[in-house]
Amino acid sequence: MELAVNEEIINAPQFIEANTQAIDLVEIKEQHIIPVFTKDNKEIISHYDFVSGTAEVVQNFYIGSGINPPQIRMSHPIKGRVPSARNKAAKNLLDNEKTLYFERLAFIIEVPSIYETIDGKAMTLVVGGVRALNETNLYGYKGNPEKFKLFVGFRVKVCCNLSIWTDGYTDEVKVSSMEGLQAKLLHLIENFNAVQQVKLMQNLCNTFITERQFALILGRGKLYPFVPKRFRNDVVPITLGDSQLTTIAKAYYKDVHFAPSNQTISLWNMYNLFTGAVKSSYIDTFASRNVGCSSFITALQHSLEHSSSFWYLD
């Protein structure tokens, strides 16, 4: 099986929504300050270098395919001012007297020429990254490890839901240079089996659950955080919070793309209801929650196919 090739580029909704704003890469480069390590005042790997360095790796690896400009979302702005404006009222600050950077960053880079269609929904390959500066110790010297998250997977074009599986995700990349970060990303891409992931997602279209089973899963999903720890180790974790499970319940009836028919829903549609709810997560948790959705759905499918115990349905 080979992935099809298509040069069409389509605008799509945002891949993450909660508490974030879209930022242009040029703005990051020209207007945002770069934090430093406090012990020696040397700069960290900047957000601009993270995004542009990722784009360089993607372009070189998928040579000849072409890539779209990065879609960048940022949150938790850190605002400041230059020393000469320390006594000014905030409303009187000039643009050149303000400083700004964002603590958290998430982005995706689409490779539009690599795509597949599942149940009538087009999907394109994406590579992306996440960074939350609150996870990196900046109270040291240059050379201390900085933390990143990297992923490669697909996104559903009609809704921009991301499909990230464990084989295409690295939760904690610790590096001290951009070269080291690019090497980690290249290793992830080289070992990502896009064809295998597509097959796994296509297979979800062949398994269905009833409305009653769906309701049981959501109900027990809300119970999961309160299950005694001695029992929780034997339960497949659900990485969604209470508000996201409520979003899924609403989408079960309201979603125009993945709502069920005849009171049954395929695991493919259910998976997309889950990943759609993940878009309301904060930047530092949305990628791992997305992977958690994939693991949960595959565990559910395995239990249904082999008639094995699954706590959410027992």
Side-chain angles (χ1 to χ4, degrees):
M1 173 184 174
E2 293 184 358
L3 296 178
V5 175
N6 181 8
E7 298 298 332
E8 183 180 10
I9 297 176
I10 305 172
N11 290 326
Q14 299 298 335
F15 66 95
I16 183 172
E17 298 167 347
N19 190 39
T20 63
Q21 57 183 291
I23 303 290
D24 183 80
L25 186 59
V26 175
E27 178 183 336
I28 297 175
K29 180 181 181 181
E30 297 181 352
Q31 299 182 27
H32 294 188
I33 66 171
I34 302 173
V36 298
F37 288 99
T38 58
K39 295 291 186 180
D40 54 14
N41 203 33
K42 292 184 178 179
E43 66 181 47
I44 65 171
I45 298 171
S46 69
H47 289 334
Y48 173 81
D49 285 342
F50 180 25
V51 179
S52 61
T54 298
E56 180 182 343
V57 172
V58 175
Q59 182 69 80
N60 291 338
F61 186 83
Y62 299 104
I63 190 167
S65 298
I67 63 175
N68 283 355
Q71 297 180 35
I72 306 168
R73 306 291 295 188
M74 306 184 85
S75 71
H76 296 73
I78 310 297
K79 299 179 180 180
R81 59 176 69 192
V82 298
S84 60
R86 63 184 180 276
N87 295 320
K88 275 192 172 184
K91 64 180 180 180
N92 296 328
L93 286 173
L94 302 176
D95 287 342
N96 64 344
E97 296 173 327
K98 301 175 184 178
T99 64
L100 174 69
Y101 72 91
F102 286 80
E103 182 184 83
R104 302 179 192 183
L105 159 79
F107 67 93
I108 59 172
I109 298 171
E110 181 185 9
V111 186
S113 59
I114 302 178
Y115 86 103
E116 191 52 83
T117 301
I118 299 180
D119 196 27
K121 306 296 190 301
M123 304 183 70
T124 54
L125 185 77
V126 295
V127 179
V130 175
R131 192 199 205 168
L133 287 177
N134 59 303
E135 297 178 348
T136 294
N137 180 15
L138 300 181
Y139 296 100
Y141 295 92
K142 179 70 174 178
N144 286 353
E146 302 177 41
K147 294 183 181 180
F148 302 84
K149 304 177 195 294
L150 301 171
F151 61 84
V152 54
F154 288 87
R155 73 167 185 172
V156 183
K157 298 289 285 188
V158 296
C159 55
C160 208
N161 290 357
L162 295 187
S163 297
I164 310 171
W165 295 55
T166 53
D167 291 344
Y169 178 62
T170 303
D171 185 63
E172 192 174 80
V173 176
K174 294 182 179 181
V175 295
S176 56
S177 68
M178 191 61 222
E179 292 76 16
L181 183 56
Q182 288 181 308
K184 294 283 189 181
L185 175 62
L186 180 60
H187 178 77
L188 179 66
I189 295 175
E190 287 176 336
N191 288 276
F192 174 67
N193 190 330
V195 173
Q196 180 65 25
Q197 182 175 323
V198 168
K199 287 182 178 179
L200 290 171
M201 291 188 292
Q202 288 175 330
N203 194 35
L204 295 177
C205 298
N206 301 322
T207 306
F208 295 80
I209 61 173
T210 65
E211 183 175 289
R212 180 178 181 277
Q213 289 174 313
F214 187 86
L216 280 172
I217 290 170
L218 291 192
R220 287 219 156 175
K222 292 195 174 188
L223 290 177
Y224 173 77
F226 308 103
V227 172
K229 289 184 178 181
R230 63 182 182 277
F231 299 124
R232 199 184 304 173
N233 291 336
D234 298 323
V235 177
V236 177
I238 191 164
T239 57
L240 303 175
D242 186 77
S243 63
Q244 291 167 327
L245 291 172
T246 299
T247 297
I248 293 169
K250 180 179 179 181
Y252 181 85
Y253 295 105
K254 301 292 185 180
D255 191 282
V256 297
H257 302 296
F258 302 106
S261 59
N262 300 320
Q263 294 188 314
T264 63
I265 185 170
S266 71
L267 294 194
W268 165 249
N269 283 355
M270 180 177 177
Y271 172 56
N272 276 280
L273 295 186
F274 274 47
T275 55
V278 165
K279 293 196 292 185
S280 66
S281 302
Y282 285 120
I283 281 176
D284 53 338
T285 61
F286 97 97
S288 58
R289 282 182 168 178
N290 198 294
V291 174
C293 291
S294 303
S295 299
F296 183 88
I297 292 295
T298 53
L300 170 60
Q301 182 184 40
H302 182 272
S303 72
L304 293 171
E305 291 181 345
H306 296 84
S307 299
S308 56
S309 177
F310 193 69
W311 178 77
Y312 297 88
L313 292 177
D314 292 343

mmCIF file of all heavy atoms in Angstrom, residues 116-135:
data_model
loop_
_atom_site.group_PDB
_atom_site.id
_atom_site.type_symbol
_atom_site.label_atom_id
_atom_site.label_comp_id
_atom_site.label_asym_id
_atom_site.label_seq_id
_atom_site.Cartn_x
_atom_site.Cartn_y
_atom_site.Cartn_z
ATOM 1 N N GLU A 116 -4.277 10.667 2.551
ATOM 2 C CA GLU A 116 -5.095 9.467 2.406
ATOM 3 C C GLU A 116 -6.521 9.847 2.755
ATOM 4 O O GLU A 116 -6.764 10.890 3.384
ATOM 5 C CB GLU A 116 -4.568 8.351 3.321
ATOM 6 C CG GLU A 116 -5.161 6.976 3.079
ATOM 7 C CD GLU A 116 -5.077 6.544 1.637
ATOM 8 O OE1 GLU A 116 -4.026 6.031 1.205
ATOM 9 O OE2 GLU A 116 -6.099 6.740 0.934
ATOM 10 N N THR A 117 -7.467 9.030 2.352
ATOM 11 C CA THR A 117 -8.874 9.264 2.652
ATOM 12 C C THR A 117 -9.416 8.088 3.452
ATOM 13 O O THR A 117 -9.238 6.934 3.050
ATOM 14 C CB THR A 117 -9.696 9.452 1.362
ATOM 15 O OG1 THR A 117 -9.177 10.571 0.636
ATOM 16 C CG2 THR A 117 -11.164 9.705 1.685
ATOM 17 N N ILE A 118 -10.066 8.392 4.562
ATOM 18 C CA ILE A 118 -10.666 7.362 5.409
ATOM 19 C C ILE A 118 -12.137 7.698 5.601
ATOM 20 O O ILE A 118 -12.469 8.796 6.072
ATOM 21 C CB ILE A 118 -9.957 7.267 6.773
ATOM 22 C CG1 ILE A 118 -8.483 6.881 6.585
ATOM 23 C CG2 ILE A 118 -10.670 6.261 7.674
ATOM 24 C CD1 ILE A 118 -7.709 6.775 7.879
ATOM 25 N N ASP A 119 -12.993 6.793 5.201
ATOM 26 C CA ASP A 119 -14.442 6.975 5.332
ATOM 27 C C ASP A 119 -14.888 8.313 4.725
ATOM 28 O O ASP A 119 -15.715 9.023 5.293
ATOM 29 C CB ASP A 119 -14.861 6.885 6.795
ATOM 30 C CG ASP A 119 -16.362 6.672 6.955
ATOM 31 O OD1 ASP A 119 -16.978 6.109 6.043
ATOM 32 O OD2 ASP A 119 -16.913 7.085 8.002
ATOM 33 N N GLY A 120 -14.298 8.648 3.593
ATOM 34 C CA GLY A 120 -14.658 9.869 2.894
ATOM 35 C C GLY A 120 -14.025 11.132 3.425
ATOM 36 O O GLY A 120 -14.274 12.222 2.900
ATOM 37 N N LYS A 121 -13.168 11.014 4.441
ATOM 38 C CA LYS A 121 -12.529 12.179 5.045
ATOM 39 C C LYS A 121 -11.046 12.203 4.668
ATOM 40 O O LYS A 121 -10.305 11.267 4.961
ATOM 41 C CB LYS A 121 -12.665 12.146 6.578
ATOM 42 C CG LYS A 121 -14.089 11.996 7.087
ATOM 43 C CD LYS A 121 -14.952 13.181 6.717
ATOM 44 C CE LYS A 121 -16.305 13.135 7.431
ATOM 45 N NZ LYS A 121 -17.096 11.931 7.145
ATOM 46 N N ALA A 122 -10.634 13.279 4.000
ATOM 47 C CA ALA A 122 -9.233 13.407 3.596
ATOM 48 C C ALA A 122 -8.361 13.707 4.802
ATOM 49 O O ALA A 122 -8.745 14.454 5.704
ATOM 50 C CB ALA A 122 -9.088 14.523 2.558
ATOM 51 N N MET A 123 -7.164 13.113 4.812
ATOM 52 C CA MET A 123 -6.188 13.333 5.865
ATOM 53 C C MET A 123 -4.848 13.650 5.220
ATOM 54 O O MET A 123 -4.487 13.073 4.193
ATOM 55 C CB MET A 123 -6.041 12.092 6.749
ATOM 56 C CG MET A 123 -7.328 11.603 7.370
ATOM 57 S SD MET A 123 -7.031 10.179 8.454
ATOM 58 C CE MET A 123 -6.156 10.981 9.784
ATOM 59 N N THR A 124 -4.114 14.579 5.819
ATOM 60 C CA THR A 124 -2.784 14.906 5.317
ATOM 61 C C THR A 124 -1.750 14.699 6.415
ATOM 62 O O THR A 124 -2.052 14.783 7.609
ATOM 63 C CB THR A 124 -2.708 16.364 4.831
ATOM 64 O OG1 THR A 124 -3.149 17.231 5.875
ATOM 65 C CG2 THR A 124 -3.564 16.575 3.599
ATOM 66 N N LEU A 125 -0.533 14.434 5.989
ATOM 67 C CA LEU A 125 0.556 14.236 6.933
ATOM 68 C C LEU A 125 0.958 15.569 7.557
ATOM 69 O O LEU A 125 1.027 16.594 6.875
ATOM 70 C CB LEU A 125 1.761 13.630 6.219
ATOM 71 C CG LEU A 125 2.949 13.262 7.121
ATOM 72 C CD1 LEU A 125 2.656 11.976 7.876
ATOM 73 C CD2 LEU A 125 4.226 13.115 6.299
ATOM 74 N N VAL A 126 1.219 15.557 8.857
ATOM 75 C CA VAL A 126 1.703 16.749 9.546
ATOM 76 C C VAL A 126 2.846 16.372 10.482
ATOM 77 O O VAL A 126 2.900 15.258 10.998
ATOM 78 C CB VAL A 126 0.594 17.466 10.365
ATOM 79 C CG1 VAL A 126 -0.486 18.029 9.468
ATOM 80 C CG2 VAL A 126 0.007 16.530 11.415
ATOM 81 N N VAL A 127 3.754 17.304 10.655
ATOM 82 C CA VAL A 127 4.817 17.193 11.652
ATOM 83 C C VAL A 127 4.681 18.406 12.560
ATOM 84 O O VAL A 127 4.399 19.514 12.096
ATOM 85 C CB VAL A 127 6.208 17.171 10.990
ATOM 86 C CG1 VAL A 127 7.301 17.075 12.056
ATOM 87 C CG2 VAL A 127 6.313 16.002 10.012
ATOM 88 N N GLY A 128 4.860 18.216 13.852
ATOM 89 C CA GLY A 128 4.671 19.343 14.755
ATOM 90 C C GLY A 128 5.480 19.238 16.025
ATOM 91 O O GLY A 128 6.202 18.265 16.259
ATOM 92 N N GLY A 129 5.327 20.269 16.827
ATOM 93 C CA GLY A 129 6.048 20.314 18.087
ATOM 94 C C GLY A 129 5.310 21.116 19.134
ATOM 95 O O GLY A 129 4.412 21.906 18.819
ATOM 96 N N VAL A 130 5.686 20.894 20.364
ATOM 97 C CA VAL A 130 5.102 21.586 21.513
ATOM 98 C C VAL A 130 6.234 22.002 22.439
ATOM 99 O O VAL A 130 7.212 21.255 22.619
ATOM 100 C CB VAL A 130 4.122 20.669 22.280
ATOM 101 C CG1 VAL A 130 3.612 21.362 23.540
ATOM 102 C CG2 VAL A 130 2.964 20.252 21.391
ATOM 103 N N ARG A 131 6.085 23.189 22.998
ATOM 104 C CA ARG A 131 7.060 23.619 23.993
ATOM 105 C C ARG A 131 6.366 24.420 25.082
ATOM 106 O O ARG A 131 5.543 25.288 24.799
ATOM 107 C CB ARG A 131 8.123 24.494 23.356
ATOM 108 C CG ARG A 131 9.295 24.713 24.313
ATOM 109 C CD ARG A 131 10.122 25.874 23.967
ATOM 110 N NE ARG A 131 11.476 25.717 24.498
ATOM 111 C CZ ARG A 131 12.478 26.477 24.157
ATOM 112 N NH1 ARG A 131 12.313 27.404 23.243
ATOM 113 N NH2 ARG A 131 13.660 26.311 24.708
ATOM 114 N N ALA A 132 6.694 24.107 26.326
ATOM 115 C CA ALA A 132 6.184 24.852 27.473
ATOM 116 C C ALA A 132 7.388 25.219 28.342
ATOM 117 O O ALA A 132 8.003 24.351 28.953
ATOM 118 C CB ALA A 132 5.180 24.015 28.261
ATOM 119 N N LEU A 133 7.725 26.486 28.364
ATOM 120 C CA LEU A 133 8.936 26.909 29.063
ATOM 121 C C LEU A 133 8.875 26.665 30.559
ATOM 122 O O LEU A 133 9.909 26.624 31.226
ATOM 123 C CB LEU A 133 9.201 28.390 28.786
ATOM 124 C CG LEU A 133 9.701 28.720 27.373
ATOM 125 C CD1 LEU A 133 9.855 30.220 27.190
ATOM 126 C CD2 LEU A 133 11.026 28.012 27.091
ATOM 127 N N ASN A 134 7.673 26.497 31.096
ATOM 128 C CA ASN A 134 7.563 26.186 32.521
ATOM 129 C C ASN A 134 8.111 24.799 32.839
ATOM 130 O O ASN A 134 8.339 24.462 34.003
ATOM 131 C CB ASN A 134 6.104 26.288 32.967
ATOM 132 C CG ASN A 134 5.194 25.346 32.215
ATOM 133 O OD1 ASN A 134 5.119 25.397 30.982
ATOM 134 N ND2 ASN A 134 4.481 24.493 32.926
ATOM 135 N N GLU A 135 8.375 23.987 31.816
ATOM 136 C CA GLU A 135 8.939 22.658 32.023
ATOM 137 C C GLU A 135 10.459 22.650 31.914
ATOM 138 O O GLU A 135 11.089 21.612 32.099
ATOM 139 C CB GLU A 135 8.347 21.676 31.000
ATOM 140 C CG GLU A 135 6.835 21.480 31.133
ATOM 141 C CD GLU A 135 6.279 20.545 30.088
ATOM 142 O OE1 GLU A 135 7.011 20.223 29.124
ATOM 143 O OE2 GLU A 135 5.114 20.132 30.229
#
